C-alpha cells in the first residue's frame, strides 16, 4: 500500500514519535527518510499492507502513523518498525528509539535534548521553566499530535520533573 501524506491520516491514527539525539540534516536526513519510506512501502501486519505515513519535524522528530481504519499494526509489525529504526541508529550515529529524554525548545527556538536526570539542573539555571515549550514524544494518536506536540512544560509529563 502506498505511503500517504501525514495530513491524510485520520485523527484516530496510531502514531509513534521517535526523536534523534542530534539534528539530522542534509544527507543524514535524506538517508533516514529514504530508509523509512522503503520500510513503510513494504510494512504489513499479518500479511496485510498498512496504510501509513511519516512526518519529519525540526530536524529531530520522526513521526510514523498508521490508519487503523485500513488495518491495525500488530505487535510483530511494530517490533519490525523498531528493529528497522535501531539498525538506522547505527548507520546515522544517533539514537531514535530511547526513553528517559526530554526535548524542549531552547531560547534560540531550536530543539534541545536533556537527560531526565539533568532536568533539576536546567530548572535551577532557569533554562527549563513551566512555560518552556516541550516536545511531547509520548503522544500516540494523530489528533493529539496535531494539537499538543509542543506545549508548555507545565502541561506535559515533564511538569513532575520541574518540582523535583
Amino acid at each position: 500500500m502506498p505511503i500517504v501524506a501525514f495530513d491524510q491520516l485520520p485523527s484516530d491514527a496510531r502514531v509513534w514519535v521517535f526523536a534523534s539525539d542530534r539534528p539530522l540534516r542534509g544527507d543524514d536526513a535524506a538517508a533516514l527518510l529514504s530508509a523509512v519510506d522503503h520500510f513503510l512501502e513494504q510494512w504489513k501486519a499479518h500479511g496485510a499492507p498498512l496504510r501509513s505515513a511519516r512526518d519529519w519535524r525540526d530536524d529531530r522528530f520522526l513521526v510514523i502513523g498508521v490508519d487503523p481504519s485500513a488495518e491495525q499494526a500488530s505487535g510483530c509489525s511494530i517490533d519490525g518498525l523498531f528493529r528497522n529504526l535501531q539498525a538506522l541508529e547505527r548507520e546515522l550515529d544517533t539514537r531514535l528509539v530511547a526513553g528517559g529524554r526530554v526535548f524542549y525548545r531552547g531560547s534560540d527556538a531550536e530543539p534541545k535534548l536533556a537527560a531526565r536526570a539533568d532536568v533539576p539542573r536546567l530548572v535551577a539555571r532557569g533554562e527549563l521553566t513551566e512555560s518552556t515549550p516541550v516536545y511531547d514524544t509520548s503522544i500516540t494518536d494523530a489528533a493529539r499530535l496535531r494539537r499538543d506536540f509542543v506545549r508548555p512544560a507545565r502541561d506535559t509529563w515533564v511538569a513532575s520533573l520541574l518540582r523535583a
Side-chain angles (χ1 to χ4, degrees):
M1 183 168 284
I3 301 170
V4 299
F6 201 86
D7 62 1
Q8 291 180 349
L9 289 177
S11 294
D12 65 341
R14 172 73 165 95
V15 300
W16 296 265
V17 180
F18 301 96
S20 175
D21 281 354
R22 66 180 183 87
L24 298 177
R25 298 181 179 103
D27 291 343
D28 286 342
L32 171 68
L33 299 177
S34 175
V36 168
D37 287 349
H38 178 72
F39 175 83
L40 294 180
E41 288 166 357
Q42 302 173 39
W43 200 18
K44 296 179 180 177
H46 304 294
L50 294 172
R51 183 172 187 256
S52 60
R54 60 106 173 133
D55 195 19
W56 181 239
R57 298 178 178 203
D58 296 324
D59 297 324
R60 285 222 192 212
F61 304 100
L62 174 66
V63 183
I64 305 290
V66 172
D67 181 349
S69 66
E71 185 67 41
Q72 295 279 352
S74 65
C76 291
S77 65
I78 296 166
D79 288 347
L81 171 64
F82 278 71
R83 279 192 308 275
N84 184 271
L85 292 175
Q86 287 168 330
L88 287 170
E89 287 178 332
R90 291 185 289 278
E91 292 175 30
L92 297 170
D93 191 29
T94 191
R95 287 178 37 210
L96 296 163
V97 181
R101 304 179 303 167
V102 175
F103 288 87
Y104 64 98
R105 195 172 286 156
S107 59
D108 61 359
E110 292 295 316
K112 305 292 182 199
L113 165 63
R116 191 179 197 131
D118 292 337
V119 169
R121 179 179 51 82
L122 295 172
V123 169
R125 290 193 339 217
E127 191 172 332
L128 189 57
T129 69
E130 288 187 345
S131 60
T132 300
V134 169
Y135 297 85
D136 191 348
T137 59
S138 70
I139 288 175
T140 60
D141 66 77
R144 283 205 51 229
L145 180 82
R146 292 174 179 135
R147 184 184 63 236
D148 296 332
F149 182 51
V150 180
R151 293 182 293 156
R154 73 177 149 270
D155 297 334
T156 70
W157 66 270
V158 175
S160 64
L161 302 176
L162 299 176
R163 296 180 285 278

